[in-house]
Amino acid sequence: MMTTRRVLTRLMLVPIFALSMTPAFAEKAVKPASVKSLIKSVDIPHEQFTLPNGLRVIVHTDRKAPLVAVSIWYHIGSKHEPKGKTGFAHLFEHLMFNGSENAPGDFFAPLREVGATDFNGTTSFDRTNYFQTVPTGALDMALFLESDRMGHLLGGVTQEKLDNQRGVVQNEKRQGDNQPYGLSFYEILGTLFPEGHPYHHSTIGSMKDLDAASLTDVKKWFSDNYGPNNAVLVLAGDIDAQSAKPMVEKWFGDIARGADVVHPRPSVPTLPAPVSKVMKDTVATTRVMRLWAVPGINDADSTKLDVAASVLGGLSSSRLDNALVRDEKVAVSVTASSSSYEDVGIFYVSADVTPGQDPKKVGERLDAIIADFMKSGPTKDEIQRVATGAAAQTINGIESVGGFGGKAVTLAEGAVYSNDTSFYKKELVELSAVKPAAVARAMQKWLSRPVFNLTIEPGEREAYEEAKGGGAPAKFDGFPTTFNYRAPDDDSHIIQPLSVVDRSKFPEVGQLTGLDFPTIERDTLSNGIAVYFTRRAAVPTVQVSVSFDAGYAADPADALGTESLMLSVMSEGTKTRNSVQIAEESERLGAGISYGASMDRTSISMGMLAPNLAPSLALLSDIVRNPAFDPVEVDRVRDQKLASIAAELAQPQGMAGRVMPALLYGAAHPYGRANSGTGDPAVVKTLTAQQLAAFHRRWFRPDTARIFVSGDTNLKALKPLLEKSFGTWASDRSARPVKNFELAIPKATPKIFLLDRPNSPQSIIIAGQVLNKTGRDDLLTLRAANENLGGNFLSRINMDLRETKGWSYGSRSSVSGVEGPVAFTISAPVQADRTGDSIKAILDQVKGFLGPNGLTPTELQQTINGNVRQLPGSFETSADVLGGMVNIINLERSDDYYEKLAEKYRALTAKDIDATARAVIDPDRLVFVVVGDAKKVRPQLDVVGLPVEMVSAPAAK
C-alpha cells in the first residue's frame, strides 16, 4: 500500500459518525479557541535509546487502555530501487508477512490469536513500515515476530512464496489500475520526474519488473536494506522506557548490524517547457489537472506550499470551490494538495468538469485563478483556518496510539524523515506563524515554472500492460494446531543467528485485561429527544452524532435518491448562513462535519474541539434544523450528484452495487435499492427544492432523533448546550413516519448475472443471499462462522484466492449490518483470466465449510482468543466508543453488551458454529454478479455450471 506524507486537504475531525449542524436562533458570537492554545495541547512526550546494532527505539507512555502500538519503520522505499527492479520494496513488504525462520506461518495468524488490532504494513517512496496494536500482555509476542522477520527472515523466503506474493501484488496493481483515473499517477510521475530520478516510477512497480524478480534478487534486497541500523522502532501505549528497554534488547539485541544504506538525495526537477497530455479512461467526467514537482518535507517552503494548496482547493471554503463550483458552476468538484515526500513533493490542482461545459475553458479559468492567487496570496484568516484544521486533525489523530495514524506514526515520521521526533510540533508552530506574503513568494517561486497540464477524458483506454501469467498456486494446508513454531528442518538457506534468546517457541502471552466499556449516561431534552453520552478524556475533542430513524430505506419507492440529494444540499445553506459561511465557520472552529446514511439510519455528525463545544453545537443545530433548500443551490448540487452517480457507474464495485440489492431483496423492497443510496439519476434530475424540504420535514424531527455524544466533557455541562441547540425544536404533530418492510423477499434463483466492462484487467465477483435472520437477532455465532469462511484476512476464501492461488489481492464475505433481514455476501476482485475458476473456488470453499469441512479446533481457538483479546483495542477512541454506543441503542442491546461478549465467545463450540451456519446459509441459493470484460469472462462462466445472463450496465441517463 502506498501512503503520502502531510497533505492538508479538507482535513478537520472526521469520526466514524461525523456530522454538523447549526442553531435555529440568533447565537451570540463565541470566539473560537486560538490556534496557539490548540497547539499547546498537542504533545507526545517520549524517551529514546539506541541499541549497539543501531536500532533506534522511541517509547511513549499512554495508560488510557491496556494496549501497546508496535510500529517499525525501515528507511527503505521505492526510490531506492535500481532500474529494472521497480516494485521490490512493496513486494518485499508482502513477503515479510509470509513467515520467518522461527515463525514460518502467516504473520497475521499469531497476531489474530493474541487479539491484535490495526495490524498491517505500507510502502511509500521513502520507507516501509509494519505495525500492530496488541494487548499489553502480548507485547513480547509482537516483539518476537518483528525481530524474527528483521533478523531471521531469509530461511523463510522460498520460491513458492515469492511466486505467490508476486501474483498477489500484481492483482493489487490491477485492482488499483482498474479504477476510474487509476492510471493517471503513472503518467504524473513519469512526466514530472525524468528517467533515472528516484521518484520517476510508482511504488507498486511495473508488471515486467515484478515478473522478472528472482529469489536471489529479493534476498539481496533484504540483506542490503533491512538491518536494525536502518530502522526505527516505536512503542506507544501501556509501556514505559524502563520496562521496554530490556524487552527490546532481548529480542533485537542479537541481530547483527546491516549494511549502511545509501539514501538518494535527488533535486527537485523542473520541466524544460510546459507539457500537455490527454488520457482516455473509463471515467464519467473530464478531469483537468495542473501539476508541478516541488520540494520535500524538510524544505523551508514545504509548509507554505501546504497552506497554498489548502486555501486554493483544500478547504471547504477554498478559492476554487467558491469560484468554479459554487459561483460559476463549471466544475462539480475541485481539489488542490501539496503531497510532501522526503526529498520532493507534488503540487496538484484539479477540477472535474461539469458535464456540458467546455474542458478547455474550465482549464483556462483554473489557470487564471491560480495566477491571481499566486500574486495576492492567502489572507490571514485563511491561514488561521488552515492552521486550526491542522491542529484539530493532529489532536484527533493522537487519540490513537498506533494504526495508520496515531502517536506511533507521528513520532516515527519525524524520526525517519527529519531526524526529529518532535517535528510534528515544529510543523504546527510554523503553520500558525506563516505570513501571507511568504506563501505568495513560495508559490511564485515554484508554481511559475513550467507546468504539466494533464486532462483525462471519457474514452477507451490504451492496451493494458499485463503480467506474463498469474501467481503460481501455492500449497496451503490450513494453519497449524499450535503456534509454537520451530524453524524448518531444511536449514540450508538459513543464516545462523547470533541468538542468545530461545526462538524455538513463541513467548507466552501475559495477563490480559478485559474490556471496561464506558458507562452510558442518559438524559432527555425537553422536547423528548433522547441523549446518550460516554465520557472519554484522552484528548480535548468531542464526537457528536444526531441520528434519525430514516436511512435509504426511507426513500419513496418512486423517488429514489431523495434523501441522498437532501443530505448533500443541507450543507449548502440554512436560513441564516450560506454555504461559504458554514464552511468558514466550521474551519474556524476546527470542526469536521459529515453527512451519512445507512439503509436504516441517517446521521449528521460533527467532530469538534472541546474548547469550541458551544459554538460547534450551535452550528450543528442550524444545519440540522434549518436547511434553506435554496433552489439555486439545489440545482448546483444536483449537477454534482448526477456526476457522482455517473462516476459510480463507471466504477466496477459501483456497477455491482447497483444490481445486486434488487436481485436479493426485490426492487420494491426498502433494501432492494443501490447500496450507495444515490438513487435513480432520472429521478434526481427532476427533484425539486420543495420535495427535499418535504422529505426533511417528514423524517428529520425530534421524535425520530437520537443524539449520541462521546468525548472530553460531562453530561452536566453538555445538557444545557444541547437543550439550547436542540431542545427548543418543536415536535411535528403529524404521525411518525414508518418504513414498509412487509414486502415479501423473492425466492433466490441461483444464476450468474454478467455486466460487461470492456478492457478490465480484473473482474469483480459479488455473491449473496438473504438470510432468515434480522440485525436485531443475536448474530454472534453466525458472525463467528463468517469470520472463518470469509470475514477476515485468515479466512478460507481469502487465503485460498489470495495466499494459495494468487488470483486476488483480497476477498471477503460478510453478514450485513442492517436492522431488518440481513444478507450474506461475498466480494472477490480477481484477475480477469481466473474469473470462472474463482467462482468455482468460492463455491468449493462455501460448500466445504458448510459440509464435510466444518470449523477446525485451530479456527475455533483463533475465533475465541482473537475476539476476546481484541475487545479493549476495539474501543480505544471516542469515535470507537460512539459507534459501539450507537449499536447498543439502535439494536436494543444491554449496556454491558460488549463487556459480556468475552463470556459469549468463550462459550462457543465448533458444533454450534457449524450448525448455525448450515441452518441459514445455502450455497445452492447464492446469486452471483460479475463485472468484467465479457469477451474474456463469458467463456469462463459458461462452464461454471450455473445459468449466465447478460445484464445491461446501469446507465447514468
Side-chain angles (χ1 to χ4, degrees):
M1 174 177 180
M2 293 172 283
T3 63
T4 59
R5 156 96 166 149
R6 189 156 54 85
V7 182
L8 295 180
T9 59
R10 306 187 193 281
L11 5 124
M12 306 301 121
L13 300 171
V14 185
I16 293 178
F17 291 89
L19 352 122
S20 128
M21 323 170 174
T22 334
F25 46 84
E27 180 73 30
K28 183 179 178 180
V30 179
K31 190 174 182 180
S34 68
V35 176
K36 186 176 180 180
S37 68
L38 294 176
I39 291 174
K40 281 185 178 180
S41 67
V42 179
D43 189 35
I44 313 174
H46 56 277
E47 297 182 56
Q48 301 185 62
F49 58 89
T50 302
L51 299 189
N53 60 12
L55 178 65
R56 184 176 182 180
V57 184
I58 304 166
V59 183
H60 162 70
T61 302
D62 179 346
R63 305 288 189 186
K64 73 175 181 292
L67 305 168
V68 181
V70 179
S71 189
I72 190 160
W73 286 51
Y74 293 92
H75 200 172
I76 187 72
S78 60
K79 75 178 181 187
H80 298 84
E81 297 163 349
K83 185 176 181 179
K85 301 193 187 310
T86 65
F88 265 48
H90 177 250
L91 176 61
F92 217 91
E93 176 210 317
H94 280 248
L95 285 168
M96 286 182 73
F97 281 104
N98 274 255
S100 52
E101 293 163 8
N102 303 294
D106 191 289
F107 192 85
F108 288 133
L111 287 177
R112 169 69 175 150
E113 175 86 3
V114 300
T117 51
D118 290 329
F119 46 93
N120 215 318
T122 71
T123 310
S124 75
F125 293 107
D126 306 307
R127 54 78 190 144
T128 304
N129 72 342
Y130 303 89
F131 54 89
Q132 54 266 305
T133 300
V134 296
T136 307
L139 179 56
D140 250 343
M141 174 76 80
L143 294 177
F144 166 86
L145 290 168
E146 287 291 3
S147 66
D148 208 65
R149 63 178 173 183
M150 176 189 282
H152 311 276
L153 180 79
L154 292 185
V157 178
T158 65
Q159 184 67 50
E160 184 180 54
K161 290 180 180 178
L162 171 59
D163 291 341
N164 172 258
Q165 289 306 306
R166 187 200 328 268
V168 171
V169 169
Q170 288 175 331
N171 272 301
E172 180 180 359
K173 177 176 169 64
R174 292 185 187 101
Q175 187 166 317
D177 295 352
N178 199 32
Q179 304 306 310
Y181 309 105
L183 300 176
S184 61
F185 196 55
Y186 305 120
E187 195 69 47
I188 291 169
L189 294 177
T191 302
L192 290 180
F193 303 103
E195 183 77 34
H197 194 283
Y199 292 81
H200 176 74
H201 66 271
S202 69
T203 298
I204 205 162
S206 73
M207 289 292 195
K208 179 181 178 181
D209 288 354
L210 290 169
D211 277 334
S214 70
L215 191 60
T216 300
D217 287 336
V218 297
K219 286 191 174 186
K220 186 176 187 304
W221 177 262
F222 175 79
S223 299
D224 288 349
N225 297 299
Y226 285 80
N229 48 306
N230 196 38
V232 171
L233 171 65
V234 183
L235 304 178
D238 187 23
I239 187 68
D240 54 63
Q242 185 177 356
S243 303
K245 189 171 184 179
M247 298 176 74
V248 174
E249 289 175 338
K250 172 184 176 183
W251 294 113
F252 290 87
D254 67 339
I255 300 173
R257 183 182 182 90
D260 291 329
V261 177
V262 177
H263 299 290
R265 289 290 178 256
S267 60
V268 179
T270 296
L271 294 173
V275 176
S276 296
K277 293 184 179 180
V278 177
M279 294 179 65
K280 304 284 188 180
D281 200 354
T282 308
V283 297
T285 56
T286 297
R287 177 168 293 175
V288 178
M289 289 178 279
R290 303 291 185 257
L291 304 111
W292 296 262
V294 294
I297 292 164
N298 298 297
D299 189 272
D301 284 335
S302 182
T303 296
K304 302 177 185 68
L305 292 171
D306 280 340
V307 172
S310 294
V311 174
L312 182 61
L315 295 173
S316 296
S317 64
S318 76
R319 300 286 183 94
L320 292 173
D321 269 296
N322 290 344
L324 299 184
V325 179
R326 290 190 174 98
D327 294 343
E328 300 166 29
K329 304 176 182 61
V330 296
V332 292
S333 65
V334 294
T335 189
S337 68
S338 185
S339 301
S340 301
Y341 310 113
E342 184 175 12
D343 304 301
V344 300
I346 298 174
F347 196 98
Y348 171 107
V349 184
S350 79
D352 286 357
V353 179
T354 301
Q357 296 291 329
D358 183 349
K360 182 179 178 181
K361 290 182 179 180
V362 174
E364 292 171 350
R365 186 72 183 103
L366 185 70
D367 293 335
I369 295 170
I370 295 172
D372 180 69
F373 184 48
M374 285 172 61
K375 292 178 184 177
S376 61
T379 66
K380 289 182 179 179
D381 181 61
E382 286 172 325
I383 292 175
Q384 288 303 293
R385 299 204 311 266
V386 172
T388 299
Q393 183 184 44
T394 303
I395 291 168
N396 194 56
I398 63 176
E399 187 177 8
S400 299
V401 291
F404 288 97
K407 291 189 259 194
V409 169
T410 302
L411 294 172
E413 280 184 335
V416 171
Y417 298 138
S418 309
N419 195 29
D420 183 357
T421 51
S422 296
F423 189 73
Y424 68 96
K425 274 193 171 185
K426 294 181 179 179
E427 280 188 303
L428 289 175
V429 171
E430 182 182 355
L431 189 62
S432 66
V434 70
K435 304 297 183 185
V439 175
R441 284 194 298 272
M443 285 192 291
Q444 291 160 12
K445 177 180 179 180
W446 296 104
L447 306 190
S448 62
R449 298 174 305 140
V451 63
F452 176 28
N453 303 302
L454 178 62
T455 300
I456 305 175
E457 59 187 27
E460 186 172 341
R461 285 183 170 186
E462 294 181 2
Y464 184 72
E465 179 210 20
E466 257 298 355
K468 289 187 300 186
K475 191 173 187 296
F476 177 67
D477 297 319
F479 298 106
T481 55
T482 70
F483 292 101
N484 292 328
Y485 293 144
R486 294 182 178 273
D489 293 334
D490 178 9
D491 60 0
S492 58
H493 297 291
I494 297 177
I495 298 174
Q496 293 301 318
L498 307 171
S499 184
V500 294
V501 63
D502 180 10
R503 292 182 178 271
S504 65
K505 61 181 181 180
F506 277 7
E508 296 292 329
V509 176
Q511 183 175 356
L512 302 177
T513 304
L515 172 66
D516 180 15
F517 193 84
T519 300
I520 300 177
E521 300 180 58
R522 290 168 166 79
D523 212 323
T524 304
L525 302 185
S526 56
N527 59 356
I529 297 179
V531 177
Y532 304 91
F533 171 76
T534 54
R535 177 167 170 75
R536 301 285 285 185
V539 292
T541 64
V542 178
Q543 312 293 340
V544 180
S545 178
V546 183
S547 174
F548 296 90
D549 183 6
Y552 298 138
D555 255 355
D558 59 350
L560 299 183
T562 302
E563 186 193 59
S564 179
L565 182 59
M566 181 209 70
L567 280 174
S568 296
V569 176
M570 285 180 70
S571 65
E572 302 302 326
T574 70
K575 296 171 184 176
T576 58
R577 295 171 170 93
N578 63 32
S579 61
V580 175
Q581 291 171 325
I582 290 173
E584 290 183 351
E585 187 171 346
S586 65
E587 290 159 2
R588 292 188 187 98
L589 293 170
I593 308 168
S594 73
Y595 308 77
S598 65
M599 280 296 173
D600 302 298
R601 303 281 166 174
T602 304
S603 297
I604 303 180
S605 308
M606 179 180 281
M608 55 191 73
L609 296 164
N612 295 337
L613 182 59
S616 298
L617 284 173
L619 175 60
L620 181 62
S621 173
D622 194 33
I623 294 171
V624 170
R625 295 173 56 178
N626 303 306
F629 297 118
D630 182 339
V632 174
E633 295 294 340
V634 171
D635 288 342
R636 175 176 66 81
V637 176
R638 183 202 326 281
D639 287 341
Q640 292 177 292
K641 185 65 66 176
L642 290 170
S644 175
I645 294 172
E648 178 186 335
L649 295 174
Q651 196 241 19
Q653 290 88 346
M655 294 170 66
R658 286 262 161 179
V659 172
M660 179 59 94
L663 296 176
L664 294 181
Y665 287 97
H669 194 278
Y671 290 167
R673 60 253 339 230
N675 295 332
S676 65
T678 49
D680 182 347
V683 169
V684 174
K685 284 181 180 179
T686 64
L687 288 172
T688 66
Q690 291 77 15
Q691 286 175 287
L692 302 184
F695 186 91
H696 180 272
R697 285 193 304 271
R698 177 171 170 78
W699 291 98
F700 278 43
R701 39 195 275 174
D703 59 347
T704 65
R706 290 168 174 166
I707 299 177
F708 300 91
V709 184
S710 181
D712 187 20
T713 184
N714 59 69
L715 192 55
K716 182 178 180 181
L718 178 67
K719 174 73 179 294
L721 299 177
L722 291 176
E723 191 66 53
K724 186 176 183 181
S725 55
F726 290 98
T728 58
W729 191 4
S731 295
D732 192 312
R733 294 180 180 274
S734 62
R736 176 173 171 165
V738 295
K739 291 162 277 189
N740 179 19
F741 288 98
E742 301 303 316
L743 294 170
I745 296 171
K747 184 179 180 180
T749 302
K751 186 181 284 188
I752 300 172
F753 295 88
L754 174 60
L755 284 75
D756 185 20
R757 188 174 187 269
N759 302 318
S760 294
Q762 270 195 336
S763 299
I764 303 298
I765 301 170
I766 308 290
Q769 68 177 103
V770 180
L771 309 180
N772 61 346
K773 296 285 184 181
T774 74
R776 296 182 186 278
D777 293 331
D778 183 356
L779 301 179
L780 181 137
T781 308
L782 178 60
R783 293 191 190 281
N786 177 67
E787 282 181 33
N788 292 282
L789 177 54
N792 64 41
F793 183 88
L794 298 170
S795 65
R796 295 188 186 185
I797 293 174
N798 186 64
M799 294 301 287
D800 184 35
L801 291 181
R802 172 181 163 129
E803 299 298 288
T804 300
K805 296 182 168 68
W807 297 343
S808 174
Y809 175 54
S811 308
R812 295 188 70 84
S813 67
S814 63
V815 177
S816 61
V818 296
E819 296 175 26
V822 299
F824 169 72
T825 57
I826 302 167
S827 175
V830 301
Q831 60 193 64
D833 63 341
R834 293 293 189 175
T835 307
D837 291 336
S838 295
I839 292 178
K840 292 178 183 178
I842 289 170
L843 287 171
D844 285 345
Q845 290 296 332
V846 175
K847 291 178 179 179
F849 184 78
L850 298 175
N853 304 320
L855 201 72
T856 67
T858 298
E859 288 172 327
L860 177 63
Q861 176 184 316
Q862 285 181 333
T863 301
I864 295 172
N865 288 346
N867 282 292
V868 169
R869 292 169 174 175
Q870 75 177 9
L871 281 170
S874 300
F875 297 100
E876 183 190 0
T877 68
S878 297
D880 295 334
V881 171
L882 183 71
M885 179 168 54
V886 167
N887 282 335
I888 285 173
I889 302 306
N890 287 344
L891 297 179
E892 301 175 354
R893 312 297 191 200
S894 64
D895 283 12
D896 60 356
Y897 172 76
Y898 289 107
E899 292 176 329
K900 287 184 174 180
L901 279 183
E903 178 184 340
K904 291 183 177 181
Y905 276 117
R906 292 190 183 103
L908 289 176
T909 66
K911 182 178 179 181
D912 290 339
I913 293 174
D914 287 343
T916 298
R918 291 165 184 166
V920 296
I921 301 174
D922 183 353
D924 293 326
R925 290 176 51 219
L926 286 173
V927 175
F928 286 84
V929 170
V930 175
V931 180
D933 188 332
K935 290 181 181 178
K936 299 177 184 176
V937 171
R938 179 62 192 260
Q940 302 174 51
L941 302 184
D942 287 337
V943 296
V944 167
L946 292 173
V948 180
E949 179 179 328
M950 290 294 301
V951 179
S952 298
K957 299 179 184 177

Coordinates of all heavy atoms in Angstrom, one line a residue, residues 525-558:
L525 N -34.1 15.6 26.4 CA -34.3 17.0 26.2 C -35.8 17.3 26.4 O -36.6 16.4 26.4 CB -33.8 17.5 24.9 CG -32.4 17.2 24.5 CD1 -32.0 17.9 23.1 CD2 -31.4 17.8 25.6
S526 N -36.1 18.6 26.6 CA -37.5 19.0 26.9 C -38.5 18.6 25.8 O -39.6 18.5 26.1 CB -37.5 20.5 27.2 OG -37.0 21.2 26.1
N527 N -38.0 18.5 24.6 CA -38.9 18.1 23.5 C -38.9 16.6 23.3 O -39.5 16.1 22.3 CB -38.5 18.8 22.2 CG -37.1 18.5 21.8 OD1 -36.3 17.8 22.5 ND2 -36.7 19.1 20.6
G528 N -38.2 15.8 24.1 CA -38.3 14.4 24.0 C -37.2 13.7 23.4 O -37.1 12.5 23.3
I529 N -36.2 14.4 22.8 CA -35.0 13.8 22.2 C -34.2 13.1 23.2 O -33.7 13.7 24.2 CB -34.2 14.8 21.4 CG1 -35.0 15.5 20.3 CG2 -32.9 14.2 20.8 CD1 -34.3 16.5 19.5
A530 N -33.9 11.8 23.0 CA -33.1 11.1 23.9 C -31.6 11.4 23.7 O -31.2 11.5 22.5 CB -33.3 9.6 23.7
V531 N -30.8 11.5 24.7 CA -29.4 11.8 24.7 C -28.6 10.7 25.3 O -29.0 10.3 26.4 CB -29.1 13.2 25.4 CG1 -27.6 13.4 25.4 CG2 -29.8 14.3 24.7
Y532 N -27.6 10.2 24.7 CA -26.8 9.1 25.2 C -25.3 9.6 25.2 O -24.8 10.2 24.2 CB -26.9 7.9 24.3 CG -28.3 7.4 24.2 CD1 -29.1 7.9 23.1 CD2 -28.9 6.5 25.1 CE1 -30.4 7.4 23.0 CE2 -30.2 6.1 24.9 CZ -30.9 6.6 23.9 OH -32.2 6.2 23.7
F533 N -24.6 9.5 26.3 CA -23.3 10.1 26.5 C -22.3 9.1 27.1 O -22.7 8.4 28.1 CB -23.4 11.3 27.4 CG -22.1 11.9 27.8 CD1 -21.3 12.6 26.9 CD2 -21.6 11.7 29.0 CE1 -20.1 13.2 27.2 CE2 -20.4 12.3 29.4 CZ -19.6 13.0 28.5
T534 N -21.1 9.1 26.6 CA -20.0 8.4 27.3 C -18.8 9.4 27.4 O -18.5 10.2 26.5 CB -19.5 7.2 26.5 OG1 -19.2 7.6 25.2 CG2 -20.6 6.1 26.5
R535 N -18.1 9.4 28.5 CA -17.0 10.3 28.7 C -15.7 9.7 28.3 O -15.4 8.5 28.7 CB -16.9 10.7 30.2 CG -15.7 11.6 30.5 CD -15.8 12.3 31.9 NE -14.6 13.0 32.2 CZ -14.2 14.1 31.7 NH1 -14.9 14.7 30.8 NH2 -13.0 14.7 32.1
R536 N -14.9 10.4 27.5 CA -13.6 10.0 27.1 C -12.7 11.2 27.1 O -13.0 12.1 26.3 CB -13.6 9.4 25.7 CG -14.5 8.1 25.5 CD -13.9 6.9 26.2 NE -12.9 6.3 25.4 CZ -12.2 5.2 25.7 NH1 -12.6 4.5 26.7 NH2 -11.3 4.8 24.9
A537 N -11.7 11.2 27.9 CA -11.0 12.5 28.2 C -9.5 12.4 27.7 O -8.7 13.2 28.1 CB -11.0 12.8 29.6
A538 N -9.2 11.4 26.8 CA -7.8 11.3 26.4 C -7.3 12.5 25.6 O -6.1 12.9 25.8 CB -7.6 10.0 25.6
V539 N -8.1 13.1 24.8 CA -7.8 14.3 24.0 C -9.0 15.2 24.1 O -10.1 14.8 24.3 CB -7.5 14.0 22.6 CG1 -6.2 13.2 22.4 CG2 -8.6 13.2 21.9
P540 N -8.7 16.6 24.0 CA -9.8 17.5 24.1 C -10.7 17.6 22.9 O -10.7 18.6 22.2 CB -9.0 18.8 24.3 CG -7.7 18.7 23.6 CD -7.4 17.2 23.8
T541 N -11.4 16.5 22.6 CA -12.3 16.5 21.4 C -13.6 15.9 21.9 O -13.7 15.2 22.9 CB -11.8 15.7 20.3 OG1 -11.6 14.3 20.7 CG2 -10.4 16.2 19.8
V542 N -14.7 16.2 21.1 CA -16.0 15.6 21.4 C -16.6 15.2 20.1 O -16.5 15.9 19.1 CB -16.9 16.7 22.1 CG1 -18.3 16.0 22.3 CG2 -16.3 17.1 23.4
Q543 N -17.1 14.0 20.0 CA -17.8 13.5 18.9 C -19.3 13.5 19.1 O -19.8 13.0 20.1 CB -17.3 12.0 18.6 CG -15.8 11.8 18.6 CD -15.1 12.5 17.5 OE1 -15.7 12.9 16.5 NE2 -13.8 12.7 17.7
V544 N -20.0 14.1 18.2 CA -21.5 14.2 18.3 C -22.1 13.6 17.1 O -21.7 13.9 15.9 CB -21.9 15.6 18.5 CG1 -23.5 15.7 18.7 CG2 -21.3 16.2 19.7
S545 N -23.2 12.8 17.3 CA -23.9 12.3 16.1 C -25.4 12.4 16.4 O -25.9 12.0 17.4 CB -23.6 10.8 15.9 OG -24.3 10.3 14.8
V546 N -26.1 13.1 15.5 CA -27.5 13.3 15.6 C -28.1 12.3 14.6 O -27.9 12.4 13.4 CB -28.0 14.7 15.3 CG1 -29.5 14.8 15.4 CG2 -27.3 15.7 16.2
S547 N -28.7 11.3 15.1 CA -29.2 10.1 14.3 C -30.7 10.1 14.1 O -31.4 10.3 15.1 CB -28.7 8.8 14.9 OG -29.2 7.7 14.2
F548 N -31.2 9.9 12.9 CA -32.6 9.8 12.7 C -33.0 8.4 12.1 O -32.2 7.8 11.4 CB -33.0 10.9 11.6 CG -32.7 12.3 12.1 CD1 -31.5 12.9 11.9 CD2 -33.7 13.0 12.8 CE1 -31.3 14.2 12.3 CE2 -33.5 14.3 13.2 CZ -32.3 14.9 13.0
D549 N -34.2 8.0 12.5 CA -34.7 6.8 12.0 C -35.2 7.0 10.6 O -36.4 7.1 10.4 CB -35.8 6.3 13.0 CG -36.4 4.9 12.6 OD1 -35.9 4.3 11.6 OD2 -37.4 4.5 13.2
A550 N -34.3 7.0 9.7 CA -34.7 7.3 8.3 C -33.8 6.3 7.4 O -34.2 5.2 7.2 CB -34.4 8.7 7.9
G551 N -32.7 6.8 6.9 CA -31.9 5.9 6.0 C -32.4 5.8 4.6 O -33.5 6.4 4.2
Y552 N -31.6 5.1 3.8 CA -32.0 5.0 2.4 C -33.3 4.3 2.2 O -34.0 4.4 1.2 CB -30.9 4.3 1.6 CG -29.6 5.0 1.6 CD1 -28.4 4.3 1.7 CD2 -29.5 6.4 1.4 CE1 -27.2 5.0 1.7 CE2 -28.3 7.0 1.4 CZ -27.1 6.3 1.5 OH -26.0 7.0 1.5
A553 N -33.7 3.4 3.2 CA -34.9 2.7 3.1 C -36.1 3.6 3.3 O -37.3 3.3 3.0 CB -35.0 1.7 4.3
A554 N -35.9 4.9 3.7 CA -37.0 5.8 3.8 C -37.3 6.6 2.5 O -38.3 7.3 2.4 CB -36.7 6.9 4.9
D555 N -36.4 6.4 1.5 CA -36.6 7.0 0.2 C -38.0 6.5 -0.4 O -38.3 5.3 -0.3 CB -35.5 6.6 -0.8 CG -34.5 7.7 -1.0 OD1 -34.8 8.8 -0.5 OD2 -33.6 7.5 -1.7
P556 N -38.8 7.4 -0.9 CA -40.0 7.0 -1.6 C -39.6 6.0 -2.7 O -38.7 6.2 -3.5 CB -40.6 8.3 -2.2 CG -40.0 9.4 -1.3 CD -38.6 8.9 -1.0
A557 N -40.4 5.0 -2.9 CA -40.1 4.0 -3.9 C -40.1 4.6 -5.3 O -39.4 4.1 -6.2 CB -41.1 2.8 -3.8
D558 N -40.8 5.6 -5.5 CA -40.9 6.3 -6.9 C -40.0 7.5 -6.9 O -40.0 8.2 -7.9 CB -42.3 6.7 -7.2 CG -42.9 7.6 -6.2 OD1 -42.3 7.9 -5.2 OD2 -44.0 8.2 -6.5

